[in-house]
Structure formats: C-alpha cells, structure tokens
Amino acid sequence: MGNCLTKQNDGQHYQHQQQQQQQKIKKKNPSEIAPADQFSGNRKPAPPSQPPPPEVRLCGDPANPATHYVRFGLQYKPLSLRFFPSQMPLSLFTLRFEDDDPVSGSSETVLQYVESKLPKPPLLMREKKAWDDTPSFPVVRMAELQHRSMMWHLERVARWGQDLATRGGSVAVDPSMGTPRMELRKFGKSYGKLLEALLEHAQMEERVIFPIFNAADRGLCTSVNEEHARDLPIMNGIKEAIKSIGVLDAGTPNHREALHNLSARLEKLQENCREHFDEEEKNLFPLMEAAELTMDQQRKAVEQSVDVMQATHSHLFPFFMEGLLPHEALEYTDLLINCMNKEKAISKLRILVQ
C-alpha cells in the first residue's frame, strides 16, 4: 500500500495554496481553520446553489485494515460515501461512482479511480525530501509527520493567542465562541490536547528513537534531549497561565497584560519547537541508515512508538490528524497498517471513521 504519484516540491506547492486560501477566508476564529480547509469536502455541506456531491458506494471487509484506510481517505473528497460491509477477498474492494460501472481492485486502485474523478485534494502523493535517494525508514517518517501536525497546531494556538491579546479578551470574534471566558476555556482545552500530544511525542523519541542512535554513537542525542528539558517548563507554564487568566476579570489591564504575556510565551514555544524539529530532521534523522536496522526492527520501533503515544492514537487521534494535509494523514495511516499487527491497526483506524 505504498504511496504513489510522487511529485517534486508538491509539499511546498500545496503549503503555498493553503496560505493563499487562508487569506481568502472571512474573519474566522483560528481554532476553526484546518489544513484541509483549502479544499471542498464532504465534511462541509454544499451551498444551496451548488449540486449535491456525487454518491460513491464502497464494498469492503471491515476486518481488513485497508478498508478503514480507504474510508478515511474518502472522507477528504467532496462526495457522499455509502459503505457496505462485505466478505471481500483480502485487500480487494468494489467501488461504484454514481452511475458508472463498478471498479474492483486494491485500495490503491479504487483510490486512484476516485482521484481521476475528483482530483482535489490529492491523497496519494508523497512529499519528496532531499534525502529521498536513501532507503525509507518508517519510524523516521512517522516522527516527521508528527512534527508536521504539532507545528500546525502550535501555529494555530499561537495565532489564536495573538488574536486574544489583540482583542484584549473582551470582544468575541463570533457567537460560536460564546463569551470571552467561554472562548478562553475552549482555548485552554485545545492547548491541553496539544500539550498532551507534545509530551507523548517527546517521550516516544526518548524511549524509542534516541536509544537507536545512542546505541550506534553514544551521546549522539544529548543536545536534543536537553532541548526537551528546556521546553518542558515553558509548556507547563503556558498551561498554568491559561488557568490564571481564566479567573481574571475580562478587559481589565491585568487581564490584557496576562494575554499579551501568554501570546509571547506561545510564540517562544513555537520558535523553540520549530528549531528543535528542524535540527532533528536535518541532522539526526538522516543518520538512521547508519544505524543499520532491519525492516522488522523499523516496524517494531513504529509499534513501540504507538504504544508510548497512547493518547495521541486514541482519543486525540482525530485532533492529531487534523494538523496534517490529506495526503499526509493518509500516509500516516499507511504507516500504521504496514508496521502494526492487524488488530491494533484496525483499533486505531476505526476511531477515524466512526
């Protein structure tokens, strides 16, 4: 189930599209803007003036992890999906696009067919890296995609914090956020999810990835471990600051000053994480080839990573996936299917299609 349609610089191209689209979005609370907002999809109802989305029927075996992979990918497309459980042969599916003849085949076959009908958003592309000539290492790619999601969520809460500070915490941006105190409570809840995912990611690196490098070169990961220790007080301090602001009277000088201080802390955390992730991806992760792990050891490392990051891959899984572009999210599920046993993979992916 490897990804296909590789195109150089596609990642940068769609990031640029995302930035352009975000400039066109009407005044909107930062908590509501997701990477996939640049595309129309079946997550949002079509305006009355537009025709309804095409109906797609999918038949597949619910006991097959690839079935959940396909269903999850189709959620990003502007279509109305009807799923019919069936005892299909392993890794085979039948898909019917409106009144067209049914198409049968593997998960890649049916997704490619849907891509030909509805090309946006692309699901089967893969970001090309400078070191793509080297073998692919699943545990490294997993960590990279986690970086993408967490950086997007960090940028979102930083924008949101800056927006709160600019408004002084006394003006609501839209009725759906409620009163300023209600909005701050939502903000704290969102940051709490991000904090939990960040802490689990750091634990995963310390318990799974860094020992692989240290076994090959003792002390190799000392500096990145120190960065984890450096950022922990900042992350916890932000959580406590949000609680403190919640008891202040909205709009008062103390309240406004606290919001500005919170915004500055978030920007500092965002800067630190960006530098930390860049350091790992440019100077550490490319050394994985020298560690000489077998593919079985790589798969085991991915499974161990998921075990460490229990919350991220359970109740926080939809939140985590929200921070990825559609093709990145599908690639992440692909990694889980290829590196975990069948039952574990199904238990994780089922969360995304319920």
Side-chain angles (χ1 to χ4, degrees):
M1 275 176 39
N3 289 301
C4 57
L5 301 182
T6 302
K7 297 180 182 178
Q8 188 171 11
N9 296 325
D10 271 340
Q12 293 91 332
H13 172 68
Y14 282 99
Q15 287 174 2
H16 178 65
Q17 275 194 339
Q18 176 186 347
Q19 293 171 355
Q20 287 184 323
Q21 180 65 17
Q22 286 180 350
Q23 292 173 358
K24 298 177 183 178
I25 296 174
K26 293 175 104 178
K27 180 64 177 174
K28 192 174 184 181
N29 189 282
S31 68
E32 300 171 336
I33 301 172
D37 279 353
Q38 66 199 33
F39 306 110
S40 62
N42 65 342
R43 296 179 177 183
K44 299 179 182 178
S49 58
Q50 294 185 8
E55 181 180 276
V56 172
R57 301 181 181 185
L58 175 70
C59 296
D61 186 357
N64 178 9
T67 300
H68 302 281
Y69 169 86
V70 173
R71 291 180 64 189
F72 174 63
L74 293 180
Q75 289 183 43
Y76 288 102
K77 294 292 187 179
L79 54 82
S80 175
L81 178 64
R82 296 185 64 187
F83 175 65
F84 298 90
S86 63
Q87 298 297 320
M88 300 286 291
L90 186 62
S91 299
L92 288 181
F93 304 88
T94 296
L95 181 141
R96 184 166 186 170
F97 193 98
E98 291 195 308
D99 295 328
D100 291 358
D101 293 333
V103 173
S104 296
S106 67
S107 58
E108 297 294 327
T109 298
V110 297
L111 285 178
Q112 286 175 345
Y113 176 70
V114 174
E115 296 266 70
S116 70
K117 295 286 188 177
L118 301 168
K120 292 186 178 180
L123 298 177
L124 300 176
M125 59 182 284
R126 186 190 187 283
E127 180 182 355
K128 188 172 179 62
K129 312 286 282 186
W131 52 86
D132 265 359
D133 290 335
T134 62
S136 174
F137 299 103
V139 69
V140 165
R141 187 55 183 160
M142 180 185 214
E144 290 173 345
L145 290 171
Q146 289 176 7
H147 289 174
R148 302 294 177 274
S149 174
M150 291 172 193
M151 277 310 304
W152 180 81
H153 280 292
L154 272 166
E155 291 165 2
R156 178 180 60 86
V157 296
R159 286 197 312 268
W160 195 355
Q162 186 178 49
D163 190 42
L164 285 169
T166 301
R167 291 184 277 122
S170 59
V171 179
V173 68
D174 62 63
S176 67
M177 286 290 106
T179 66
R181 196 178 300 277
M182 293 166 66
E183 181 179 0
L184 185 66
R185 192 175 298 118
K186 292 175 191 258
F187 179 83
K189 183 178 180 181
S190 183
Y191 177 76
K193 293 179 180 179
L194 172 59
L195 177 60
E196 192 171 3
L198 281 168
L199 292 175
E200 284 197 339
H201 173 76
Q203 291 171 0
M204 178 274 289
E205 290 186 332
E206 292 167 3
R207 297 181 189 179
V208 180
I209 294 184
F210 294 169
I212 295 173
F213 290 111
N214 285 328
D217 187 346
R218 190 173 183 180
L220 183 62
C221 299
T222 300
S223 62
V224 287
N225 261 321
E226 290 173 350
E227 289 176 1
H228 285 176
R230 173 201 64 185
D231 291 337
L232 183 58
I234 300 176
M235 292 189 289
N236 288 331
I238 291 172
K239 180 180 179 180
E240 295 304 315
I242 296 172
K243 291 180 181 178
S244 299
I245 295 171
V247 301
L248 297 175
D249 292 331
T252 62
N254 286 342
H255 187 253
R256 290 195 295 270
E257 181 181 3
L259 286 173
H260 281 286
N261 290 337
L262 173 64
S263 178
R265 289 187 183 189
L266 286 166
E267 290 179 3
K268 180 61 175 176
L269 177 60
Q270 180 184 351
E271 177 185 349
N272 286 355
C273 287
R274 182 182 294 110
E275 292 176 355
H276 174 70
F277 293 162
D278 285 348
E279 167 69 17
E280 290 181 340
E281 293 184 21
K282 292 178 181 178
N283 300 322
L284 183 64
F285 290 170
L287 300 177
M288 181 61 76
E289 182 179 12
E292 298 182 339
L293 266 65
T294 66
M295 188 53 67
D296 284 343
Q297 290 172 319
Q298 284 280 336
R299 293 192 183 99
K300 183 179 179 180
V302 169
E303 191 160 7
Q304 290 173 336
S305 298
V306 174
D307 289 340
V308 172
M309 302 180 69
Q310 292 183 11
T312 303
H313 295 91
S314 57
H315 64 279
L316 293 180
F317 207 14
F319 171 84
F320 168 79
M321 285 296 197
E322 185 185 18
L324 296 174
L325 288 165
H327 71 274
E328 293 172 331
L330 206 65
E331 183 182 355
Y332 197 87
T333 62
D334 193 8
L335 283 170
L336 298 187
I337 291 173
N338 282 309
C339 297
M340 300 177 65
N341 67 52
K342 179 180 176 180
E343 290 72 23
K344 275 190 176 181
I346 289 176
S347 69
K348 304 304 179 186
L349 270 62
R350 187 184 292 121
I351 297 170
L352 301 175
V353 296
Q354 286 177 340

